[in-house]
Amino acid sequence: MSNDQLQPLISETNKHSLDQRPESPQRPSKLPKVNDDGGNDVVEGEEQKESVTRTMNPNPRLQRYLLAIEYIGTRFAGAQQQPNCRTVVGVLQEAFQKFIGQPVSVFCSSRTDAGVHALSNVCHVDVERISKRKPGDVLPPHEPLVVKRAVNHFLQKNAGDIMVIDVRCVPDDFHARYKAQERTYFYRLLSGPEPVSSFERDRAWHVPENLDLLAMQKACNILIGRHDFSSFRAAACQANSPIRTLDELNVIEVVSTPFFPSISERLKSSSVMEDPTVYLGSDTNHSQISFNTNEGKLEGSNGEACQEFGLRRRHRCFVVTARARSFLYHQVRLLVGVLKSVGAGDLTDPDVKRILEAKSIAAAPPMAPACGLYLGHVKYDLPPENNQS
């Protein structure tokens, strides 16, 4: 959205300086701090959720918006607001204040740690649209698309490492954190001896060892289900119980990104276009994907393979997916640490069972670093969306 397009929106609202933000009337009072992997996601039961609902948003003139946001976690000190630190919530609140001219409070579904990325974290915010010409007059709420474009305009004028990807209006008792039904995290690992590419820096965990995919997949089966995950719970975790149900845990190998096709891959694509039956025969197993990490290899004078000048050897890229209603603090990163040790041959299936049954973080290997963790999706049972012109 251009400055000229945004000007009428901004001129309708009061502009205030970025002062100390007042306590929001819809902030839940004295909620217990409950940690989750990368942030405080844990739902602590229906009674707590009901008490939160009753205290939220008593002002009927406020419109509650649900926002899905993506961000690169590298330059944030986490999602939750902290004094004297650049945080996801802090940057969002500043962008909203520039848009509507008054302070707001943003609440995230998942309070990710410093360095953790998000493909889709979800927040809610209450906005009162007040006329600048008649300060006492409250105008109809902005349409969600207007909110998305306007807030992104101010976000992109900043560092450009955070963006609103979706917006919708929700009832005033809808809480982004406590209404979440399920959360999905992804973790990226790059395997291989070559130094990590500049394009992948702080986007994945670089592991020099060659990882055994099948061994890691077998270890996942041990950890799926309802368990006491005390061995996968950081010491600072404040959850009331270590019991969690892990609905999904798997590892797959994918093409490393950014991906640019090699000569052989381009030739193969051209062959398929000319004759699709060459590679799409009835006996082809499409579930088996080949990831060639030796592109650019030439045969030297002594008959041995050598790397062609100027071409980087690709890493193998693995993605761990963890899905559950809620997680313990650092649970996903501790799970990935165990899977990596299994893939590298340092642990076996009996070792994984022993670690799980030990119910002590002292039994687990070091957790994976934050840079490879991505909050992928937060699932809700959303109310029907109103028809909007």
Side-chain angles (χ1 to χ4, degrees):
M1 178 177 287
S2 67
N3 288 333
D4 292 340
Q5 291 172 310
L6 280 173
Q7 194 60 40
L9 298 175
I10 299 171
S11 62
E12 292 177 346
T13 58
N14 292 319
K15 293 186 178 180
H16 304 287
S17 61
L18 295 174
D19 299 328
Q20 178 73 26
R21 196 169 286 102
E23 186 72 14
S24 170
Q26 48 97 357
R27 180 188 295 273
S29 60
K30 298 183 179 180
L31 288 179
K33 295 181 179 179
V34 186
N35 291 315
D36 187 34
D37 190 278
N40 296 3
D41 292 349
V42 179
V43 179
E44 283 293 283
E46 295 301 325
E47 292 181 1
Q48 176 176 309
K49 290 166 65 177
E50 290 174 3
S51 66
V52 171
T53 299
R54 286 194 298 267
T55 62
M56 288 190 295
N57 194 3
N59 187 347
R61 304 193 304 178
L62 294 175
Q63 172 61 59
R64 178 158 296 186
Y65 295 98
L66 198 66
L67 291 78
I69 56 173
E70 66 177 16
Y71 50 86
I72 300 169
T74 308
R75 287 178 286 184
F76 291 101
Q80 190 174 10
Q81 191 168 17
Q82 305 171 49
N84 304 318
C85 292
R86 185 173 186 262
T87 64
V88 172
V89 165
V91 170
L92 273 175
Q93 289 178 160
E94 289 180 6
F96 263 97
Q97 180 159 346
K98 290 176 181 177
F99 168 40
I100 66 172
Q102 53 188 321
V104 299
S105 293
V106 172
F107 296 89
C108 282
S109 66
S110 303
R111 291 178 273 183
T112 52
D113 282 341
V116 175
H117 316 290
L119 304 176
S120 180
N121 198 347
V122 180
C123 311
H124 77 256
V125 59
D126 292 340
V127 173
E128 184 178 39
R129 186 183 175 194
I130 300 175
S131 171
K132 181 181 178 181
R133 297 175 181 175
K134 299 180 179 179
D137 290 354
V138 178
L139 302 175
H142 290 296
E143 295 294 332
L145 183 59
V146 172
V147 174
K148 176 183 174 181
R149 290 177 175 174
V151 174
N152 277 335
H153 168 80
F154 292 108
L155 290 176
Q156 298 311 302
K157 290 179 70 174
N158 200 331
D161 50 5
I162 179 172
M163 177 177 287
V164 177
I165 61 175
D166 206 357
V167 180
R168 69 175 296 179
C169 297
V170 291
D172 59 8
D173 63 348
F174 193 96
H175 197 286
R177 180 182 172 197
Y178 297 105
K179 290 288 188 179
Q181 297 183 332
E182 186 178 83
R183 295 168 175 86
T184 301
Y185 282 93
F186 300 112
Y187 196 99
R188 298 183 68 239
L189 301 99
L190 296 178
S191 170
E194 293 290 322
V196 69
S197 167
S198 301
F199 296 103
E200 290 279 18
R201 185 177 179 182
D202 297 325
R203 303 292 194 277
W205 182 16
H206 177 222
V207 178
E209 300 95 333
N210 185 34
L211 299 180
D212 185 334
L213 176 60
L214 183 59
M216 292 190 291
Q217 290 173 334
K218 289 181 177 179
C220 288
N221 294 330
I222 300 172
L223 298 165
I224 291 175
R226 185 173 179 82
H227 302 286
D228 181 331
F229 282 103
S230 293
S231 297
F232 301 90
R233 176 187 191 185
C237 183
Q238 299 173 350
N240 292 335
S241 170
I243 306 297
R244 290 292 181 271
T245 300
L246 191 56
D247 296 310
E248 179 183 358
L249 183 67
N250 65 54
V251 189
I252 63 171
E253 186 171 5
V254 300
V255 176
S256 181
T257 55
F259 174 79
F260 303 101
S262 65
I263 293 177
S264 63
E265 288 162 338
R266 298 196 298 272
L267 291 174
K268 182 183 294 186
S269 177
S270 298
S271 300
V272 172
M273 291 176 63
E274 293 174 1
D275 185 4
T277 62
V278 172
Y279 291 99
L280 300 178
S282 59
D283 59 345
T284 301
N285 185 354
H286 301 297
S287 64
Q288 300 297 319
I289 303 174
S290 175
F291 300 96
N292 190 351
T293 60
N294 295 313
E295 292 298 337
K297 288 285 187 179
L298 301 176
E299 186 174 309
S301 57
N302 58 358
E304 295 181 356
C306 60
Q307 187 75 23
E308 183 176 351
F309 178 77
L311 293 180
R312 169 184 280 276
R313 180 172 180 173
R314 295 175 184 167
H315 291 93
R316 296 181 69 190
C317 183
F318 301 93
V319 174
V320 179
T321 302
R323 178 172 55 84
R325 183 177 185 182
S326 62
F327 295 88
L328 300 168
Y329 188 46
H330 288 167
Q331 182 180 349
V332 175
R333 290 166 61 186
L334 284 161
L335 289 168
V336 173
V338 166
L339 294 178
K340 175 264 181 187
S341 296
V342 170
D346 299 327
L347 295 176
T348 62
D349 285 357
D351 292 324
V352 176
K353 294 179 181 178
R354 172 183 54 81
I355 292 170
L356 180 62
E357 294 170 357
K359 301 178 183 178
S360 171
I361 191 173
M367 70 177 178
C371 61
L373 184 61
Y374 296 73
L375 174 57
H377 182 241
V378 184
K379 181 181 177 182
Y380 297 92
D381 182 14
L382 288 170
E385 191 170 11
N386 294 328
N387 294 326
Q388 297 173 348
S389 58

